Amino acid sequence: KNEVEQSPQNLTAQEGEFITINCSYSVGISALHWLQQHPGGGIVSLFMLSSGKKKHGRLIATINIQEKHSSLHITASHPRDSAVYICALPGGQGAQKLVFGQGTRLTINP
Amino acid sequence: DVKVTQSSRYLVKRTGEKVFLECVQDMDHENMFWYRQDPGLGLRLIYFSYDVKMKEKGDIPEGYSVSREKKERFSLILESASTNQTSMYLCASSLSLGGYNEQFFGPGTRLTVL
C-alpha cells in the first residue's frame, strides 16, 4: 500500500509570500493529484500530473517520479488561498482507489 | 460542469438511529465513492460503486452499508449510528475507475452522533 506524507501539516504566512507544500510517497506511481478544500468542506481538483510541471494561474505543481516527491507552489499568496491542500495518488486494490495525504492547512494573513 | 450534491450539510442524530446519507451526481459517471474525513487521519474510503447495484468495500466499511439502485444516486447507510461515526462524510464520482482519473466531490455532510 502506498504511504503518503505531506509537509508541513500547518503553514501560516503573510500575504504575498511564496508558498511550498510537499508530498512524498513510498511506492512508484505515474500520476499524482493535488486537491484544495476550503472551509466548509467542498474539495476541488487542482492538478493531476504525471511528469514535470503544471501551472494554473499562481499555482504551480511539480513532480519527480524518480524521487517519489511532488510540490505545490503558490506565488504571490493571498488570503483567499487559505485552505487545506491535499495530495492524492493511486494506491491499493490494483490502483483502483486514491490514497490521500493528511493535508496541509494553509493560512494566509493579510 | 460536474455537480455532485449531498442531501444535508449538517446532520445531528442520536446513538442507535438509522442514518441515510444521499449523494447525487448529474454527469452520468459510472463510479461513486463515500469517504469520511477526520482530523489527523485524512480522507478514508468507506465504500465505492462501479455500476448500478455493484459495490466494493473500501478501507473502513465496518458499521456502514451502501445502496446504488440508480446510476446517479449512491446512498450511505449507518444501520445503528454510534458516537465514533461522528465525522465529515464526502461523496465523490468519477467517469472511470482508477487512481488516474479525476474525482469530483460533493460539499460534504458533517454528521454528529450524540
Side-chain angles (χ1 to χ4, degrees):
Chain A
K1 183 182 173 180
N2 220 336
E3 303 291 332
V4 185
E5 284 285 332
Q6 276 188 246
S7 62
Q9 289 190 24
N10 293 282
L11 179 57
T12 300
Q14 292 298 121
E15 184 173 355
E17 287 189 43
F18 182 81
I19 303 299
T20 296
I21 298 169
N22 297 298
C23 177
S24 297
Y25 49 92
S26 58
V27 177
I29 49 95
S30 57
L32 180 144
H33 304 255
W34 280 102
L35 311 171
Q36 180 191 55
Q37 184 175 30
H38 275 286
I43 294 175
V44 296
S45 178
L46 296 173
F47 297 102
M48 187 178 72
L49 66 165
S50 56
S51 65
K53 180 165 73 174
K54 279 193 176 179
K55 186 173 187 289
H56 181 68
R58 294 178 295 102
L59 299 173
I60 304 165
T62 63
I63 189 168
N64 186 317
I65 296 293
Q66 287 74 31
E67 293 187 4
K68 300 185 181 65
H69 181 268
S70 177
S71 293
L72 177 68
H73 305 285
I74 305 174
T75 62
S77 60
H78 190 275
R80 65 175 174 266
D81 298 324
S82 298
V84 176
Y85 293 86
I86 303 168
C87 70
L89 43 90
Q93 287 186 236
Q96 288 181 332
K97 307 181 303 181
L98 287 176
V99 175
F100 298 84
Q102 291 188 359
T104 295
R105 184 174 298 278
L106 174 65
T107 303
I108 304 295
N109 293 318
Chain B
D1 219 21
V2 178
K3 193 166 183 186
V4 181
T5 57
Q6 295 183 227
S7 49
S8 306
R9 293 300 304 273
Y10 300 93
L11 208 51
V12 180
K13 296 292 181 180
R14 298 235 172 247
T15 301
E17 280 193 76
K18 190 169 186 176
V19 182
F20 292 87
L21 302 182
E22 301 278 326
C23 175
V24 177
Q25 50 94 5
D26 66 357
M27 278 301 290
D28 203 34
H29 281 176
E30 300 290 334
N31 310 289
M32 298 186 75
F33 308 81
W34 273 108
Y35 297 95
R36 65 177 281 176
Q37 185 180 32
D38 300 288
L41 298 176
L43 280 150
R44 293 179 292 167
L45 181 65
I46 304 171
Y47 269 96
F48 69 99
S49 167
Y50 52 90
D51 201 351
V52 175
K53 297 191 187 294
M54 306 304 289
K55 60 186 179 185
E56 290 277 349
K57 292 180 180 179
D59 298 317
I60 51 163
E62 296 78 19
Y64 303 94
S65 62
V66 290
S67 171
R68 194 162 180 207
E69 297 296 318
K70 292 185 178 181
K71 192 175 186 180
E72 68 271 18
R73 190 179 297 270
F74 191 34
S75 301
L76 179 70
I77 303 153
L78 288 66
E79 294 288 343
S80 178
S82 63
T83 55
N84 62 13
Q85 292 178 310
T86 292
S87 187
M88 169 70 92
Y89 290 88
L90 288 145
C91 174
S93 72
S94 70
L95 183 61
S96 301
L97 202 60
Y100 301 96
N101 294 282
E102 183 178 1
Q103 291 188 16
F104 297 86
F105 287 83
T109 296
R110 190 167 293 281
L111 172 67
T112 302
V113 183
L114 301 174

